Amino acid sequence: MKSAKYLLPIVAVVAAIGLSSIFIVDEREKALVLQFGRVVAVKEDPGLAFKIPLIQEVVRYDDRILSRDIDPLEITPLDDRRLVVDAFARYRIVDVNQFRQAVGGGGIAFAEDRLDSILRSETREILGSVTSNEILSSDRAALMLRIRNSSIPQARALGVDIIDVRLKRTDLPAENLDATFERMRAEREREATDERARGNEAAQRVRAQADRTVVELVSDSERQAEIIRGEADARRNAIFADAFGADPEFFEFYRSLTAYERALQGSNSTMVMSPDSEFFNYLRSDQGSRSLEGE
């Protein structure tokens, strides 16, 4: 009974030591076995693995593709048009042993700070060697590839492989936006002024042509009216001349009646002239009766 009493704690201790010597490597990670801070084993295959309890420890690193946002940085392209670039990178730890040696106990956070420094330096250098139009055009895909390729050698020194680099946004600095908007507004206003000037010029030409056409039409109409009026007066005079030649006395009588009609208009007409004036020849009874007898 006494032996059984001591055996049970011993078995428990042995079981605990045995369990502490076993660890599981997940398929999404890689593990390093450290002994007094020195790497003694690299576990990359998923499954069970062993270590010496109390002496060795396990450090795990993510084996998946990781993403890192780069803090926005201001660059100056060749045309001195400053831009603020917002980018991100995707990377993967390919050599955990080298990664541990490079970052020590800093882990992923320390490695990402180093990656930020590398990517910011390469981004500033490459984008600073082209114009802003190239950065803002479809050529930016080639620029992103150049940034990735130039960053790979430095990243591999960390045991990391950079898979992709992308520019998310490319904007003007806040202090330049107002000036840019004002310049764009001034350009649009200048274009609008030019358009209005060209429109007014075209309108003036149309109005001038219309006024000229009106003057020509009115002049031609008046000329034709004068011709027709002149022809009508000639015909009228010819008719009067023929009538006067056929019966001079009747023609003189007709003209006197017309003169009476025009002179004695209204209900209270007054004329002052000599009673023996020729104007009254056909108003005297004897002249009128003779004229009627003659007819």
Side-chain angles (χ1 to χ4, degrees):
M1 292 297 293
K2 290 184 179 180
S3 60
K5 179 179 179 181
Y6 293 107
L7 182 61
L8 184 60
I10 294 174
V11 171
V13 170
V14 171
I17 294 174
L19 291 176
S20 64
S21 65
I22 299 174
F23 65 94
I24 299 175
V25 179
D26 191 272
E27 60 184 3
R28 296 169 296 180
E29 63 185 12
K30 296 178 181 180
L32 291 177
V33 179
L34 305 180
Q35 182 172 329
F36 305 117
R38 183 173 59 87
V39 178
V40 295
V42 178
K43 305 296 182 180
E44 296 184 350
D45 297 328
L48 290 176
F50 298 93
K51 64 182 181 66
I52 300 175
L54 303 178
I55 297 177
Q56 295 178 340
E57 61 175 331
V58 177
V59 179
R60 304 172 189 270
Y61 295 105
D62 204 323
D63 192 35
R64 294 173 294 180
I65 295 176
L66 305 175
S67 179
R68 176 63 179 174
D69 285 328
I70 305 171
D71 292 335
L73 70 156
E74 187 174 307
I75 63 170
T76 304
L78 289 179
D79 52 5
D80 292 332
R81 182 183 180 185
R82 292 190 302 163
L83 297 173
V84 175
V85 176
D86 189 6
F88 76 94
R90 290 186 293 177
Y91 68 97
R92 185 177 184 180
I93 301 173
V94 292
D95 189 337
V96 289
N97 190 13
Q98 187 175 0
F99 183 82
R100 176 70 183 184
Q101 293 176 3
V103 303
I108 294 293
F110 182 80
E112 288 185 342
D113 289 340
R114 293 280 300 276
L115 279 178
D116 282 356
S117 178
I118 294 170
L119 292 171
R120 289 170 66 87
S121 175
E122 295 300 328
T123 300
R124 183 175 283 108
E125 180 179 352
I126 291 175
L127 297 187
S129 65
V130 297
T131 64
S132 58
N133 289 334
E134 293 180 75
I135 298 173
L136 298 174
S137 68
S138 57
D139 295 337
R140 64 190 301 171
L143 297 175
M144 292 185 289
L145 184 60
R146 287 178 56 188
I147 296 172
R148 170 188 174 271
N149 292 339
S150 62
S151 302
I152 285 177
Q154 301 178 65
R156 283 180 177 170
L158 300 174
V160 172
D161 185 23
I162 297 179
I163 298 173
D164 194 14
V165 175
R166 293 290 171 180
L167 302 180
K168 295 191 294 184
R169 293 183 58 185
T170 305
D171 299 324
L172 291 171
E175 60 270 17
N176 291 357
L177 287 178
D178 293 339
T180 301
F181 290 151
E182 287 298 329
R183 184 171 63 253
M184 294 172 62
R185 187 178 297 109
E187 291 176 356
R188 300 292 89 78
E189 289 178 353
R190 179 182 56 79
E191 292 177 0
T193 301
D194 292 342
E195 289 294 333
R196 283 194 293 267
R198 285 193 289 268
N200 290 334
E201 182 180 357
Q204 289 291 345
R205 288 198 299 269
V206 172
R207 280 194 289 267
Q209 183 63 35
D211 293 341
R212 178 179 176 180
T213 302
V214 169
V215 172
E216 291 176 352
L217 291 175
V218 171
S219 299
D220 186 63
S221 300
E222 290 179 350
R223 182 181 60 81
Q224 294 181 15
E226 290 296 332
I227 292 173
I228 294 173
R229 192 178 293 109
E231 292 176 352
D233 290 341
R235 292 183 61 187
R236 183 193 64 181
N237 293 336
I239 292 172
F240 275 118
D242 291 343
F244 181 77
D247 190 350
E249 186 177 356
F250 176 77
F251 184 73
E252 184 178 356
F253 173 71
Y254 176 76
R255 290 184 61 189
S256 297
L257 291 180
T258 302
Y260 294 155
E261 181 181 7
R262 294 177 179 175
L264 300 176
Q265 292 181 355
S267 60
N268 189 19
S269 298
T270 303
M271 298 181 66
V272 179
M273 59 180 62
S274 176
D276 56 354
S277 172
E278 294 181 358
F279 185 75
F280 296 110
N281 285 343
Y282 290 95
L283 291 179
R284 299 190 185 97
S285 58
D286 54 347
Q287 292 288 342
S289 61
R290 286 200 299 269
S291 297
L292 293 176
E293 288 175 359
E295 294 178 3

